[in-house]
Amino acid sequence: MTQKKKSTVAFSPERRSILKLGALSCAAGAAGGSLLGLNHLFQPSEAQAFEVPALPEDPFIFTTCVNNCGNTCVLKAFVRNDKVIRVETDDSVEDDWENGVFQVRACPRGRSMRRHMYSPDRLKTPLKRIGKRGEGKFEPVSWDEALDIVAASLKHCVKNYGNASVYSHYASGVITGPMTRRENFWRLMNCLGGFSLGYSDYSSAQNQAGLRYLYGKAGYSGNAISDIAHTKLAVFFGANLSETRSSGGGLQYEILEAKKKGNTRIIIIDPRYTDTCVTVADEWIPIRPGTDAALASALAYVLITEEMIDREYLDTHCVGFDASTLPEDAPEHSSYSDYILGTGFDMVAKTPEWAAAISGVPAARIYKLAREIGQTKPCYIMQGWGIQRQAAGEMNVMAVAALANLTGNVGIRGGNNGDLDAYHQSKTPRLPVGNNGVKTRFPVFMWLKAVENGKNMTADQDGIIGGDRYPADIKFIWNYAGNTIINQHSEIAETERVLSDETKCEMIVVMDTHMTATAKWADIVLPSCMYPEQTDIVGPSYAMNTDWALLTEAVKPFFESRPVYDVCVDLARRLGVEKEFTEGRDREEWIEYLYQTGTRKTFPEMPATVAEARKAGVHFRAKSRDFPVPFADFRQDPVTHPLKTPSGKVELYSAALRTLSRKRKVDSSVLGDVIPFVPQYVATWDGCEDMQTKEKYPLQLIGFHYKGRTHSHYANVDWLLEVLPQTMWINPVDAERRGIRHNDPVRVFNDRGEVRIRAKVTPRIIPGVVAMGQGAWYKPLSADSKVDVGGCINTLTKYRPTAIGKANPQHTNLVQVDRI
């Protein structure tokens, strides 16, 4: 390895950007600790052995941080004796936002990579469970023994239950790099005839479902965030880009530059005064969680009654705004305007006064905001994904998007269709996976039901696609680079109940880098390499507005850690499909093949070989600031360029939702278990209007993406835990009523469990609402306890999929808080 000082664009003078957290204490006792004192975990004394100063002659390798924040930033890992001793980030170009090239600088998470690599929780060797499932008792075994067990279980499940009984679980710990991603196992299983795979995700399933009914497109469809440079007003419902897209190559930088260029006023509507409010907002409008559709409906009322709508656009591009564009078989008075004006099913006008009582936003501010939106052309209306992680999240999504249609801001420069800003196609090639013989799929959030009762899941009731009924119960779970089985899934106690029964799911295999909360529930644990320990091809991820490519290098793998591709080769050999899986290529040959057939097609100016590309370092390509405008063709000519809805138009009244409402059984005894056909506010269980539950649990609890980790990734890094400890946000009004002072220990509880955590008393959250950063590692007080001392919010969330998208409602919770 040699220190590189070349790039395919001009370098700036060398600048060091050392993580300032390095000056902090380097205590080794990270979250999770060593498991039962076994030697398969990395011990603190070993971690401290790498605390050595870097020297000028130390070489570095290029690597990346490829977890699921949407950014994928460049890292320079300085190496001595095959160990990473320091991490810096991209400094290879001068920032030039106008011309689409700028540094891909990592945030503190990526810069703390070395602490993550050598933390006490790092896995050394394969493990086999020796106690009850979930007890966390394991013994080290050889790779041969571990893979023999896995291969035998795969053969047994495929033979006895069918390919659909083998499930590759949703995980996003690695989101780019063909040789590092989860497609390796998919390719293996497709060589055997196929496997189960859920559709959609935990992040945006309600968004995808709601916009599919509205626009015929499953989300990710908004104008680029840079388009705010072309408007004077941008209104964000819940978006928190400064924390969720925080790197130099991500959307935090993009929005700051675009706002500056357009002199754009930004209004943010959120229960919390987030870091995005601090950094870019001109005004914060607090709102109660789950009530965005009520606010949007009241804004629509003002827009309609004060004649600030784009009537020509509504008549030519939309279905169901009023009776004149309703389908012939639609019920009388079922249009969107009927609901808003109070001539619909509930006969209640959705006035600002009506919405103020529900949302907590003053009526006067609702009138003013509606006029600001209606009088600004174009107006950029956007929503983050927090508003859709509610028990009726699809309605929040559709109600906000309806505002963009009322005002005619869809398909134009500087406007938006109400969705999150558009994602940008990754330039990283993918390992070909082949043909999956299992065509039937379930909503990914429903995987636990697929374990317990998969064969009784149907299309009408459970959202099955590709068939009328699911063909199998899940008997084998492969979990690679993810912590969603336990930590990130709703209602941990319910998940544990199902997985404790080994007659249901017979084998859980976890391949990961650390002993996570999910790994403790595995039958077999396989230690995986981290990114600096394996070579690959990487490029920008979905939330980056610049083009670049990098061929990474690697240090020696940690102890017995192995890359997932190599592990799948060994499994393929045991299963008799090695030739089909490898096609005669080893890892480096696959990288060369994918580089030639994929990367160089995107970047034809790249060096001729992988070896030359590695020497060149990071390759940048300028990208235009004027990104394509989604739905522009439809806006120009809706007849020639129709949408993929049944009508070809925007469906403010959805006949498909009406059909679904007649097919799908809902529980009328549960507040909010309904399927409306027009965007509307729905009061739900554990929401602000669930008065019966609020008598016992009066506070709404929401989660948020925490800047100290990406979901649960980096949650055990000691530096980040010291600077960004896990706390519960609570307003001073609510804290005073409970005798709680800042940093007091508290118990947050409901019928599903209890979390013990420190209180952050702050006016940055509204009264009646508390919040915890999602992703902290679950750490039960004892093996049979429902009390968590790790700060994991899913101890308290409810496993009840939404009525429409069968998706996660993890921000819909009611709790009580007491001082300990």
Side-chain angles (χ1 to χ4, degrees):
M1 294 175 289
T2 58
Q3 190 164 350
K4 298 166 179 61
K5 293 191 177 182
K6 293 194 298 181
S7 181
T8 53
V9 294
F11 278 85
S12 63
E14 183 166 358
R15 299 185 298 276
R16 299 294 183 193
S17 181
I18 301 175
L19 177 63
K20 296 186 185 298
L21 295 178
L24 299 171
S25 167
C26 296
S34 61
L35 179 65
L36 303 178
L38 294 177
N39 194 43
H40 57 263
L41 295 176
F42 199 41
Q43 300 303 311
S45 60
E46 295 172 297
Q48 291 170 344
F50 296 137
E51 292 297 321
V52 293
L55 299 175
E57 60 270 21
D58 286 321
F60 69 79
I61 62 172
F62 276 117
T63 185
T64 57
C65 178
V66 299
N67 59 84
N68 188 19
C69 68
N71 291 335
T72 313
C73 296
V74 175
L75 298 175
K76 297 192 297 185
F78 287 79
V79 177
R80 190 186 304 169
N81 299 328
D82 237 352
K83 296 290 188 297
V84 175
I85 59 170
R86 188 173 85 250
V87 174
E88 293 187 6
T89 189
D90 180 35
D91 61 357
S92 57
V93 295
E94 296 289 352
D95 289 333
D96 188 352
W97 183 82
E98 289 281 357
N99 292 310
V101 174
F102 42 85
Q103 294 177 16
V104 189
R105 298 183 294 276
C107 76
R109 292 172 297 209
R111 298 188 197 207
S112 66
M113 174 74 75
R114 177 174 61 88
R115 305 298 301 178
H116 193 37
M117 289 178 69
Y118 304 129
S119 84
D121 304 299
R122 187 72 195 273
L123 293 163
K124 283 183 176 181
T125 181
L127 305 173
K128 180 174 71 173
R129 175 172 63 87
I130 56 175
K132 292 181 180 179
R133 186 179 282 169
E135 273 189 312
K137 294 182 179 180
F138 298 91
E139 64 178 6
V141 294
S142 68
W143 270 103
D144 280 341
E145 182 178 351
L147 294 184
D148 284 346
I149 293 171
V150 174
S153 181
L154 281 171
K155 289 179 181 178
H156 167 78
C157 290
V158 169
K159 178 181 178 181
N160 291 282
Y161 310 117
N163 286 74
S165 70
V166 177
Y167 172 53
S168 177
H169 192 41
Y170 172 73
S172 62
V174 177
I175 57 167
T176 189
M179 306 310 295
T180 315
R181 282 177 53 96
R182 53 188 176 178
E183 281 89 348
N184 286 273
F185 184 74
W186 296 1
R187 178 179 174 85
L188 169 64
M189 288 309 303
N190 287 342
C191 290
L192 295 169
F195 65 106
S196 280
L197 188 65
Y199 69 86
S200 194
D201 54 42
Y202 278 54
S203 295
S204 61
Q206 291 97 312
N207 176 276
Q208 294 179 48
L211 294 184
R212 187 181 290 111
Y213 286 108
L214 196 71
Y215 291 120
K217 181 177 173 61
Y220 316 124
S221 62
N223 289 38
I225 197 69
S226 57
D227 243 22
I228 67 170
H230 302 287
T231 183
K232 295 304 178 186
L233 178 65
V235 180
F236 295 174
F237 285 77
N240 184 18
L241 304 176
S242 292
E243 292 187 82
T244 58
R245 311 281 188 251
S246 59
S247 81
L251 297 182
Q252 179 187 29
Y253 175 70
E254 190 78 7
I255 193 174
L256 287 167
E257 292 297 314
K259 174 181 169 65
K260 181 168 60 178
K261 181 179 180 181
N263 192 27
T264 307
R265 173 174 165 78
I266 296 179
I267 298 172
I268 296 180
I269 302 163
D270 200 295
R272 296 188 308 128
Y273 187 72
T274 64
D275 280 12
T276 307
C277 294
V278 173
T279 54
V280 304
D282 297 282
E283 183 180 0
W284 170 45
I285 298 179
I287 187 172
R288 292 186 183 121
T291 65
D292 298 85
L295 173 60
S297 297
L299 293 171
Y301 178 90
V302 179
L303 291 168
I304 294 170
T305 57
E306 297 190 5
E307 298 182 352
M308 292 182 286
I309 61 175
D310 188 335
R311 186 66 199 225
E312 181 181 358
Y313 169 83
L314 290 167
D315 287 344
T316 55
H317 291 72
C318 299
V319 168
F321 168 69
D322 60 16
S324 67
T325 56
L326 272 175
E328 290 184 3
D329 62 345
E332 190 176 6
H333 302 302
S334 62
S335 72
Y336 175 71
S337 61
D338 280 317
Y339 168 74
I340 297 297
L341 299 177
T343 55
F345 74 96
D346 62 354
M347 302 298 288
V348 174
K350 306 310 180 294
T351 64
E353 290 77 13
W354 166 85
I358 297 169
S359 68
V361 181
R365 187 64 192 93
I366 299 175
Y367 280 108
K368 182 182 177 184
L369 179 59
R371 291 161 186 160
E372 288 175 296
I373 292 171
Q375 295 167 9
T376 304
K377 301 294 183 183
C379 180
Y380 189 97
I381 301 171
M382 184 183 80
Q383 60 182 281
W385 285 345
I387 72 168
Q388 54 93 54
R389 295 190 193 106
Q390 294 283 344
E394 297 88 351
M395 287 295 106
N396 286 333
V397 170
M398 296 176 73
V400 171
L403 295 176
N405 286 278
L406 290 180
T407 52
N409 280 297
V410 176
I412 62 174
R413 178 68 66 194
N416 190 28
N417 60 7
D419 192 11
L420 188 67
D421 59 293
Y423 279 1
H424 303 286
Q425 187 174 3
S426 172
K427 298 299 189 295
T428 306
R430 292 280 186 264
L431 187 71
V433 299
N435 180 52
N436 189 348
V438 178
K439 305 300 182 186
T440 316
R441 298 173 70 180
F442 49 79
V444 69
F445 190 67
M446 298 283 283
W447 70 270
L448 194 62
K449 183 173 181 180
V451 170
E452 191 162 39
N453 200 15
K455 287 188 288 188
N456 286 322
M457 293 174 68
T458 66
D460 288 346
Q461 193 61 29
D462 303 295
I464 300 298
I465 61 174
D468 295 329
R469 183 179 294 272
Y470 207 71
D473 299 334
I474 300 301
K475 295 294 185 179
F476 181 109
I477 296 177
W478 170 269
N479 186 92
Y480 168 68
N483 199 7
T484 310
I485 287 181
I486 296 294
N487 213 80
Q488 301 302 96
H489 190 59
S490 284
E491 198 168 351
I492 288 175
E494 173 66 5
T495 307
E496 292 181 338
R497 180 193 69 78
V498 174
L499 296 184
S500 294
D501 186 346
E502 296 177 37
T503 67
K504 293 174 181 172
C505 182
E506 297 178 2
M507 173 63 67
I508 301 174
V509 179
V510 171
M511 185 170 186
D512 215 321
T513 54
H514 294 73
M515 182 53 74
T516 64
T518 288
K520 291 178 181 179
W521 277 79
D523 301 303
I524 296 291
V525 179
L526 305 176
S528 178
C529 289
M530 287 187 64
Y531 327 129
E533 297 163 352
Q534 49 192 323
T535 55
D536 215 334
I537 307 170
V538 294
S541 189
Y542 54 84
M544 300 186 70
N545 290 338
T546 186
D547 278 347
W548 59 278
L550 173 64
L551 278 295
T552 65
E553 299 170 84
V555 297
K556 184 179 178 181
F558 185 85
F559 287 86
E560 293 184 40
S561 300
R562 299 183 67 197
V564 66
Y565 174 79
D566 295 358
V567 171
C568 286
V569 170
D570 282 357
L571 284 173
R573 185 179 305 118
R574 288 167 167 81
L575 296 166
V577 292
E578 181 182 7
K579 182 178 179 181
E580 295 88 337
F581 180 79
T582 66
E583 295 184 15
R585 299 185 183 98
D586 62 17
R587 179 189 181 86
E588 283 298 310
E589 289 169 333
W590 267 112
I591 290 175
E592 186 72 54
Y593 170 78
L594 294 169
Y595 177 72
Q596 298 298 339
T597 59
T599 306
R600 290 196 71 211
K601 283 190 174 182
T602 305
F603 297 94
E605 65 272 32
M606 287 282 285
T609 66
V610 166
E612 293 175 20
R614 286 192 176 125
K615 291 178 182 178
V618 188
H619 173 85
F620 288 89
R621 184 175 69 177
K623 193 167 187 175
S624 169
R625 292 294 93 212
D626 288 329
F627 295 104
V629 176
F631 302 139
D633 290 344
F634 167 72
R635 180 60 185 266
Q636 290 295 320
D637 188 345
V639 176
T640 306
H641 301 285
L643 300 179
K644 294 182 179 179
T645 57
S647 66
K649 297 182 179 183
V650 179
E651 299 201 345
L652 294 174
Y653 169 94
S654 173
L657 277 175
R658 185 184 177 211
T659 299
L660 181 67
S661 72
R662 289 181 290 187
K663 288 183 176 180
R664 183 165 293 171
K665 295 178 183 178
V666 295
D667 188 346
S668 58
S669 68
V670 176
L671 185 64
D673 200 11
V674 296
I675 301 176
F677 346 131
V678 299
Q680 61 186 247
Y681 167 69
V682 175
T684 71
W685 53 267
D686 269 27
C688 67
E689 294 192 274
D690 184 357
M691 298 307 174
Q692 183 176 353
T693 307
K694 287 185 75 173
E695 288 182 7
K696 189 175 182 181
Y697 303 116
L699 297 172
Q700 286 185 270
L701 168 67
I702 58 172
F704 60 92
H705 284 16
Y706 198 36
K707 57 195 171 188
R709 52 186 176 263
T710 302
H711 303 298
S712 72
H713 203 131
Y714 294 116
N716 63 331
V717 174
D718 50 1
W719 285 354
L720 297 176
L721 284 166
E722 183 169 354
V723 176
L724 300 164
Q726 177 73 341
T727 59
M728 180 210 66
W729 288 33
I730 186 170
N731 185 274
V733 172
D734 295 319
E736 185 177 7
R737 289 172 179 166
R738 292 163 174 79
I740 295 170
R741 295 177 296 180
H742 183 68
N743 210 39
D744 273 351
V746 296
R747 56 189 292 259
V748 189
F749 62 96
N750 58 23
D751 290 342
R752 298 181 284 274
E754 176 181 323
V755 174
R756 297 183 183 176
I757 195 171
R758 297 278 177 176
K760 177 186 175 98
V761 180
T762 173
R764 289 178 60 178
I765 191 166
I766 63 173
V769 180
V770 293
M772 292 165 53
Q774 62 95 15
W777 284 7
Y778 174 64
K779 189 177 181 181
L781 197 59
S782 62
D784 57 352
S785 174
K786 293 174 69 174
V787 176
D788 167 48
V789 295
C792 182
I793 192 172
N794 286 316
T795 310
L796 305 165
T797 58
K798 185 176 182 65
Y799 184 56
R800 185 179 183 84
T802 60
I804 295 174
K806 293 299 179 182
N808 63 309
Q810 287 170 287
H811 291 341
T812 303
N813 313 286
L814 288 174
V815 298
Q816 180 59 287
V817 177
D818 287 341
R819 182 177 181 272
I820 298 178

